[in-house]
Amino acid sequence: MKPKSIFALAIVLLLGLCIAPLSGCNGNQGVDAYQKADKAAKRAGDRYAKKLEKMSANKVSEVDDRDKALADLDEWTAFRDELKKNKQHFKLSDGSYYKYDSTKRKANATIDSLQDDFISDYKKTLEACSFDDLNASDVTEDSLSSSTAQLDSLAELVNSEKTHNVWADSKDCDSFLTEIKDETDRQDARAAELKLQREAAQKAEEESRRRFETPHFTVEVPAEWGDWSAEIISESPDGKMIEYSFSYMGTQASDGGGAQVVAVNLSGESTNGGDPSLYSLVRNYPEGFGKASDGYEIFYMEAGAGFFSRGAKLILK
């Protein structure tokens, strides 16, 4: 073999001996890197899984302790957000994510459960404060006032708690608040109707207390009058004469007064051949007021401080 060939072969053998150890070293480093990454991923997965178990043990199951339930919801939401943010830390060398999906699934289930508890509580309150039939006899201004006050409080509660991720979708929250407003508006409208009815009834009652009705005339007294009375004091058997007495107490003893009114049917009677008692009665009444549409003539006289002269009205029918 020529000297140059021998020299070239020697160079190749030396390079091979040097390169072989180097390539073997890099391969071991790659395997170690994957192993370290997998260990880190498993540590992350185990750490979050353990934290989830601890949080689960401390979670409240009802919203009776509202502050604790809201704190739990905040904690679980933050946990899930952190989980999503750090997803890459769970990644194994084979491309899967160690315990990530199971941990996230459990966190979502817990959050859904807490959200359902709150929303169910809201809906129970709305149902309890709603009326199927606003025209029912047991629906009153007081019951409506109490109900709308609770509805207002419910709306305030929903608005104050929606920042705690109670609603998965803000549109659902807005829709529920609209339900509350619609029911409140229904009840407010019915309360306004009942108020008008009550005021009309009160006015009618007040007017009835100020009015006395007979078949032949009406007596009305001023609104400021307090105690006053009206009664029939005599009536003829044939109904041709009815005598009434009216009295007003006044604010002081000297203010009191009264009047007597007689309604008499003189048609068909004559001074000579008629019923003398009717004419005798009429002569006792110095004031003739007029004749009603049914033919009865009305006479009156006052006593004390007066009655009609003090503001009472005598109205013919």
Side-chain angles (χ1 to χ4, degrees):
M1 184 178 291
K2 294 180 179 181
K4 288 184 178 181
S5 299
I6 294 172
F7 180 76
L9 179 60
I11 293 296
V12 170
L13 290 173
L14 287 172
L15 288 173
L17 290 172
C18 291
I19 293 172
L22 289 174
S23 63
C25 180
N26 288 340
N28 290 335
Q29 287 178 350
V31 171
D32 289 344
Y34 284 130
Q35 290 176 345
K36 287 181 180 179
D38 285 351
K39 288 181 179 179
K42 289 181 179 180
R43 283 197 300 270
D46 289 338
R47 184 172 68 253
Y48 277 92
K50 186 175 181 180
K51 183 176 181 180
L52 182 142
E53 290 178 5
K54 184 177 180 180
M55 290 168 59
S56 297
N58 295 327
K59 185 184 82 69
V60 295
S61 58
E62 299 292 340
V63 295
D64 293 337
D65 188 347
R66 208 167 196 92
D67 291 338
K68 177 65 169 64
L70 287 172
D72 281 353
L73 189 52
D74 288 339
E75 183 179 11
W76 279 93
T77 301
F79 175 80
R80 184 180 61 182
D81 291 343
E82 183 182 346
L83 197 66
K84 291 179 181 178
K85 182 180 179 180
N86 295 319
K87 181 178 179 179
Q88 69 275 12
H89 297 318
F90 295 75
K91 191 173 184 178
L92 297 170
S93 57
D94 63 1
S96 63
Y97 292 86
Y98 181 73
K99 291 188 178 181
Y100 176 80
D101 289 337
S102 61
T103 303
K104 180 183 175 184
R105 185 167 55 251
K106 290 177 181 178
N108 282 334
T110 301
I111 291 171
D112 289 345
S113 175
L114 285 167
Q115 288 174 334
D116 288 344
D117 287 343
F118 277 97
I119 294 172
S120 176
D121 184 62
Y122 296 152
K123 290 182 176 180
K124 286 179 181 177
T125 303
L126 176 58
E127 183 179 357
C129 296
S130 299
F131 292 89
D132 292 329
D133 183 7
L134 286 172
N135 294 314
S137 59
D138 60 342
V139 177
T140 64
E141 287 184 81
D142 288 341
S143 65
L144 289 171
S145 176
S146 174
S147 177
T148 53
Q150 293 179 64
L151 289 172
D152 288 341
S153 296
L154 175 61
E156 290 179 6
L157 182 66
V158 172
N159 274 311
S160 67
E161 293 181 345
K162 66 181 180 182
T163 57
H164 295 275
N165 192 42
V166 171
W167 301 88
D169 190 335
S170 61
K171 291 181 180 178
D172 293 335
C173 179
D174 293 339
S175 177
F176 185 72
L177 287 170
T178 299
E179 286 186 53
I180 298 175
K181 183 179 184 305
D182 288 345
E183 181 61 25
T184 303
D185 290 345
R186 284 180 66 239
Q187 295 185 25
D188 283 341
R190 180 54 180 159
E193 291 176 357
L194 290 174
K195 180 181 178 181
L196 288 175
Q197 293 175 9
R198 173 177 55 80
E199 290 175 347
Q202 288 177 341
K203 183 178 180 181
E205 183 180 356
E206 289 171 1
E207 290 179 350
S208 69
R209 287 199 298 266
R210 294 171 44 227
R211 183 185 296 115
F212 181 76
E213 299 282 353
T214 79
H216 320 293
F217 61 88
T218 299
V219 170
E220 290 183 356
V221 302
E224 62 270 16
W225 279 20
D227 293 332
W228 71 285
S229 63
E231 61 178 335
I232 298 175
I233 55 176
S234 65
E235 183 176 2
S236 64
D238 58 7
K240 284 190 172 185
M241 182 278 298
I242 308 175
E243 199 170 12
Y244 303 87
S245 175
F246 298 89
S247 63
Y248 166 55
M249 299 300 294
T251 56
Q252 298 180 5
S254 59
D255 293 338
Q260 286 187 197
V261 180
V262 63
V264 58
N265 186 355
L266 297 175
S267 61
E269 301 290 343
S270 64
T271 305
N272 295 326
D275 186 347
S277 62
L278 293 179
Y279 287 98
S280 175
L281 177 65
V282 167
R283 283 194 293 271
N284 293 329
Y285 285 83
E287 301 290 340
F289 188 77
K291 182 182 288 188
S293 60
D294 60 2
Y296 276 71
E297 296 184 45
I298 310 301
F299 301 88
Y300 75 93
M301 60 180 174
E302 294 188 302
F307 192 79
F308 299 111
S309 59
R310 293 289 300 276
K313 295 180 181 179
L314 180 60
I315 305 167
L316 292 174
K317 290 185 176 180

